[in-house]
């Protein structure tokens, strides 16, 4: 016996939520310049796993890379669009990972993140990588819907 609990099919006997794949039309997906075998996000119950979010403009099919700030802001816009489509918001992010091709962009990442989040900030890991599929930044996040960290 299964029931729909609004977040995907739920095994009523075990109360185990199943995964639901979500697609945000305003954020990069696995088509166009981002072609690949991946989903933007998987939601399992109240937990949202967001895959690598790049600084691409989905509608214009281009990488936003005019400056580190423009790229970082676009990546966060895409992350927010994906969160909203999954029923979460940036304030629900409980873990954030940032990959930068140039670690000198870290100051800009911190400044932009400080505008979008308030203390207590979610934990974040930041790595410098040799290259990314497109651009200079990639964000990965985990959100817990309803956690509402005061961001």
């Amino acid at each position: 016996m299964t029931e729909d609990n609004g977040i995907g099919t739920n095994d009523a006997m075990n109360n185990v939520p199943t995964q639901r794949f979500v697609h945000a039309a305003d954020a990069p997906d696995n088509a166009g310049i981002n072609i690949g075998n991946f989903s933007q996000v998987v939601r399992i119950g109240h937990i949202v796993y967001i895959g690598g979010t790049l600084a691409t403009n989905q509608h214009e099919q281009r990488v936003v890379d005019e400056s580190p700030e423009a790229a970082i802001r676009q990546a966060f816009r895409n992350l927010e669009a994906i969160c909203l489509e999954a029923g979460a918001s940036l304030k629900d992010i409980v873990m954030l990972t940032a990959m930068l091709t140039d670690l000198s962009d870290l100051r800009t990442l911190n400044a932009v993140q400080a505008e979008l989040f308030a203390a207590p900030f979610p934990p974040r890991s930041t790595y410098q990588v040799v290259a990314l599929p497109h651009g200079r930044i990639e964000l990965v996040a985990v959100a817990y819907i309803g956690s509402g960290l005061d961001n």
Side-chain angles (χ1 to χ4, degrees), residues 41-50 82-83 86 88 141-145:
V41 62
V42 174
R43 177 176 166 179
I44 303 172
H46 294 290
I47 302 172
V48 180
Y49 299 94
I50 302 163
I82 292 168
C83 282
V142 177
Y144 186 87
I145 297 172

Side-chain angles (χ1 to χ4, degrees), residues 57-135:
N57 181 311
Q58 182 67 9
H59 300 293
E60 297 176 7
Q61 289 293 294
R62 70 176 184 88
V63 176
V64 175
D65 204 22
E66 296 82 7
S67 69
E69 183 176 354
I72 291 167
R73 287 187 185 283
Q74 183 66 48
F76 274 109
R77 273 193 293 275
N78 293 342
L79 180 63
E80 184 173 34
I82 292 168
C83 282
L84 292 173
E85 192 66 32
S89 68
L90 290 179
K91 71 180 180 178
D92 292 321
I93 291 176
V94 296
M95 182 61 194
L96 181 65
T97 302
M99 290 163 273
L100 302 170
T101 57
D102 187 344
L103 211 48
S104 67
D105 293 347
L106 183 59
R107 184 171 300 189
T108 305
L109 173 65
N110 288 336
V112 171
Q113 186 176 345
E115 291 176 21
L116 301 172
F117 296 82
F121 299 105
R124 184 186 81 201
S125 297
T126 305
Y127 303 95
Q128 180 172 353
V129 296
V130 174
L132 291 166
H134 301 292

